Amino acid sequence: MNQPIKKIAVLTSGGDAPGMNAAIRAVVRACTYYRIDCVGVYRGYQGLIEGDFEQMSARHVSNVINRGGTILKSARSLEFKTKEGRVKAYENLKKEGVGALIIIGGDGTFTGGLKFIKEFDFPIVGIPGTIDNDIYGTDNTIGYDTALNTVVEVIDKIRDTASSHNRLFFIEVMGRDAGFIALNTGIGAGAEEILIPEENIGLEKLVDSLKKGREKGKTSSIVVVSEGDKIGKNVFELADYIGENYPDYDIRVSVLGHMQRGGSPSCYDRVLASRLGVAAVETLLDKKSGVMVGVTNNEVSKVGLENAIKMNHEINKELLKVAEITSI
């Protein structure tokens, strides 16, 4: 990174998350502020390979801060996993005169970026955009707060019908490897039990908790289940087991799925994305590469992409205790 950067490219990759557009907007406008050209890359790494670029000015990102999804689109690229694909991507960047790249996404996005840096010594900075909040090196990822609000709103509506019909609802939320969404929304929505990959409570404890709730006069219950929970193969198998062995429960299952990724980003996510977009550009201008920008204790922080991928963002043990105490 000896040469001054004159043009920065930005892309979004992997699963979309509310607030990605706010991050794109901040990157583009920070480039404008620092008198650097900015190029948007459509469809993530696949767009790099195909040279699907567009020059972007501050006006290109007007009225996008409130929009969910990503205006640059996103795609998973099998071709980028090959050396030939990455060579094409590198050649397109050089042909376009791009001197550095900002990647917005999760661990898969960062893994691809890290490999690209090692092969071509190309300057890259990552911005964490995923609703799962499973990236090390930042207190929150872009999209996480919005997803929490979406899930809590839905659970509140489900509780209305659960109470009306004296039903037990199993509600599956996203989180294949991490239970951040389940734990926080479970507390926020007053769930009777929360099942997450990090804490395998087992069937016995789950059944005991439901029985105690009945004995205390609870006529309906909400169980929030992270999709990566280890009890049973999936939420439907878990619900079937409870139904077969405890037929007095009137059980329903709701899988919230991709609705958790959609919607207008919350104010928190808009501000977070704006801070990280500006920080990413400034990090590249400071001649730093191979890092992810995040926010820790309300201060912009940086962590190596390798650590962001390999190290675990730990579940807050205090929240586990809060969940146990408040669910009785």
Side-chain angles (χ1 to χ4, degrees), residues 10-16 20 43-45 48 73-77 80-81 86 101-117 124-130 135 292 305 308-309:
V10 58
L11 62 80
T12 51
S13 176
D16 61 298
M20 280 184 165
R43 295 175 296 113
Y45 290 127
L48 277 186
K73 310 295 184 184
S74 186
R76 302 187 190 278
S77 176
F80 192 79
K81 293 183 178 181
R86 294 190 295 274
L101 177 64
I102 292 173
I103 55 177
I104 306 170
D107 55 1
T109 302
F110 294 163
T111 298
L114 192 61
K115 183 158 256 183
F116 202 74
I117 293 170
I124 292 178
V125 167
I127 295 176
T130 167
I135 302 295
M292 180 198 81
L305 283 176
I309 297 162

Side-chain angles (χ1 to χ4, degrees), residues 129-325:
T130 167
I131 68 167
D132 290 338
N133 202 42
D134 58 351
I135 302 295
Y136 176 82
T138 185
D139 290 341
N140 291 302
T141 56
I142 295 169
Y144 174 59
D145 183 70
T146 306
L148 294 183
N149 292 328
T150 298
V151 172
V152 166
E153 183 179 354
V154 173
I155 295 177
D156 286 347
K157 295 179 189 302
I158 289 175
R159 186 176 287 283
D160 289 343
T161 195
S163 301
S164 298
H165 295 275
N166 295 339
R167 284 175 177 158
L168 165 60
F169 266 88
F170 287 92
I171 302 173
E172 184 187 87
V173 299
M174 284 185 169
R176 186 178 62 251
D177 301 310
F180 293 99
I181 293 177
L183 180 57
N184 283 270
T185 59
I187 293 173
E192 278 66 38
E193 196 57 73
I194 303 167
L195 308 181
I196 60 176
E198 295 88 343
E199 296 284 321
N200 186 5
I201 71 168
L203 271 172
E204 188 176 334
K205 186 173 184 292
L206 172 61
V207 171
D208 184 57
S209 173
L210 294 172
K211 280 183 174 178
K212 285 180 178 177
R214 278 291 180 90
E215 290 168 1
K216 291 173 181 175
K218 289 187 179 183
T219 57
S220 64
S221 293
I222 298 288
V223 178
V224 178
V225 185
S226 178
E227 63 182 321
D229 178 65
K230 304 298 190 296
I231 301 181
K233 292 179 182 177
N234 55 56
V235 68
F236 293 101
E237 184 183 84
L238 174 59
D240 287 343
Y241 174 86
I242 299 295
E244 288 167 7
N245 291 275
Y246 303 92
D248 52 325
Y249 284 114
D250 185 10
I251 299 173
R252 296 291 186 275
V253 174
S254 287
V255 178
L256 302 193
H258 287 79
M259 73 167 69
Q260 296 161 84
R261 285 188 181 170
S264 180
S266 66
C267 180
Y268 179 90
D269 273 328
R270 297 181 199 193
V271 174
L272 174 65
S274 298
R275 294 179 74 183
L276 297 186
V278 171
V281 171
E282 292 180 339
T283 299
L284 287 170
L285 294 180
D286 287 341
K287 302 187 183 303
K288 294 189 177 87
S289 173
V291 299
M292 180 198 81
V293 291
V295 168
T296 305
N297 297 325
N298 205 32
E299 297 288 337
V300 172
S301 57
K302 299 178 183 69
V303 64
L305 283 176
E306 194 156 7
N307 285 339
I309 297 162
K310 292 183 176 178
M311 297 184 72
N312 292 324
H313 186 183
E314 299 289 341
I315 280 285
N316 188 325
K317 299 294 184 183
E318 180 208 353
L319 288 183
L320 293 172
K321 181 181 178 182
V322 169
E324 183 177 1
I325 290 172

Side-chain angles (χ1 to χ4, degrees), residues 11-32:
L11 62 80
T12 51
S13 176
D16 61 298
M20 280 184 165
N21 284 327
I24 295 167
R25 174 181 179 269
V27 168
V28 173
R29 294 195 168 179
C31 285
T32 302

Side-chain angles (χ1 to χ4, degrees), residues 44-55:
Y45 290 127
Q46 192 60 36
L48 277 186
I49 293 169
E50 297 176 11
D52 195 359
F53 302 160
E54 181 180 4
Q55 194 82 18

